[in-house]
Amino acid sequence: MHDGHDDAFALDTLAIRAGHDRTHEQEHGEPIFTTSSFVYGSAAEAARKFSGEEPGNIYSRFTNPTVRTFEQRLAALEGGEQCVATSSGMAAILATALAFLQAGDEIVASRSLFGSTVSLFDKYLGKLGIVTRYVELGDLDAWQDAITPKTRLLFAETPSNPLSEVVDITALADLAHRHDAWLAIDNCFLTPALQRPLDLGADLVIHSATKYLDGQGRAIGGAVVGPEEMLKELVGVVRTCGPCMSPFNAWIFLKGLETLGLRMKAHCENTLALAQWLEAQPEIARVHYSGLESHPQHTLAKQQQHGFGAVLGVEVKGGRDGAWALIDHSRLMSITGNLGDVKTTVTHPATTTHARLSDEQKAAAGISEGLVRIAVGLEALDDLKRDIRRGLDTLG
């Protein structure tokens, strides 16, 4: 399989095979090309490749075979024509903004975004004269009301971090296109194993490859997937500005993709069972997870997702004291801001991942002092229950 875009192959097959063009060495596993530059047989060949007249490798900032294999594989999984890899998920969002927006343009975005994304939009894109308006993720009327003739980009995470809120991607894409705007969906929580936004009408899919695409917390990276013609300018941003993915990290992500389908299925099974158990615990005020029938958007989530992911928002009674008690008495879960790992992680969003937001922004995004985010890994379910119960028993 050379181009990775044969629709006859299932996702699990593409995740293992797509994008790898064997070298003359006939290797079975994908090689890591740890080289900064490439050589040519003549000055004329170099000139043709630098001008774009002839395809080929030039400099690993923007042409590297290992990175290209990752890009082709992820594009195949998402059903997109092209993928552009970046140094991190935040770099993917920044590169998207630099490629498609200019001073005077506007973004309409969900209030339920990762805290660093909000900071990027408000502080840094704001310096460039790009205005961002925030709305409730699932309220399509609010999205409509926020759009102006200057709106160029609609941006959403679905499901959201960490409350598992969902938006109708098809309806949001239709709204964007009626106003000559693009829709970008951050898909890092579900991955193409569970959701393919391009199939639902989105223009761009953005990933923090650091999360489930890797799956074991080993490397930092990001990616943007979309139409080839549209991504030409984004390729130029990476080439000129340099937020590129390293070949070694690309190789790690390739290894992660090989088990993506299996891992996401196991993550979903573990998480749903834990969410159902948490709902029954008297110390828990509420569990935010779209896989629960109690979730207000459970039906929509079933319609556009092939699973519900592995991230729970848990409201612990007692506010911050209750939340910190659950976290601090853990002996199994890792207290860390990352997620997407086979190891379960736990964090207090109000003081970590969303700490840079103002009190008003936190309230609007539903980030309360009693909220705990649990990104459920692949440990034995009974061990996770005992670990959480240890903290809950201290609340009295």
Side-chain angles (χ1 to χ4, degrees), residues 100-101 152-155 176-177 180-184 203-204 230:
F100 302 120
L101 302 175
R152 294 291 175 266
L153 178 67
L154 274 57
F155 188 95
H177 299 154
D180 295 322
W182 300 297
L183 173 62
D203 300 287
L204 299 169
M230 187 176 183

Side-chain angles (χ1 to χ4, degrees), residues 40 43-58 62 239:
Y40 313 102
E45 180 190 351
R48 291 193 301 271
K49 289 183 176 176
F50 269 77
S51 69
E53 178 184 347
E54 179 180 323
N57 300 311
I58 298 171
F62 57 98
R239 175 172 183 163

Side-chain angles (χ1 to χ4, degrees), residues 58-205:
I58 298 171
Y59 191 64
S60 278
R61 186 175 70 243
F62 57 98
T63 51
N64 179 275
T66 311
V67 176
R68 183 165 57 249
T69 299
F70 166 72
E71 291 174 331
Q72 291 176 345
R73 186 167 298 179
L74 184 57
L77 294 179
E78 285 286 6
E81 293 178 355
Q82 186 175 359
C83 169
V84 179
T86 62
S87 57
S88 69
M90 292 308 305
I93 299 172
L94 174 60
T96 298
L98 292 176
F100 302 120
L101 302 175
Q102 60 186 3
D105 288 345
E106 294 182 357
I107 302 169
V108 179
S110 163
R111 285 197 181 95
S112 303
L113 293 180
F114 178 46
S116 291
T117 305
V118 175
S119 297
L120 170 63
F121 286 172
D122 289 350
K123 183 175 181 180
Y124 296 104
L125 296 188
K127 288 182 179 181
L128 304 179
I130 298 168
V131 173
T132 303
R133 306 177 190 278
Y134 296 96
V135 298
E136 294 297 328
L137 175 62
D139 187 344
L140 290 172
D141 290 335
W143 287 90
Q144 168 68 61
D145 292 343
I147 293 173
T148 77
K150 297 180 179 180
T151 301
R152 294 291 175 266
L153 178 67
L154 274 57
F155 188 95
E157 296 175 12
T158 181
S160 69
N161 175 18
L163 300 183
S164 199
E165 298 168 304
V166 178
V167 69
D168 186 328
I169 295 175
T170 299
L172 193 58
D174 289 343
L175 178 61
H177 299 154
R178 286 200 304 271
H179 291 274
D180 295 322
W182 300 297
L183 173 62
I185 296 293
D186 186 324
N187 199 32
C188 79
F189 270 33
L190 292 185
T191 81
L194 304 180
Q195 177 175 266
R196 299 218 310 182
L198 298 179
D199 291 347
L200 299 172
D203 300 287
L204 299 169
V205 175

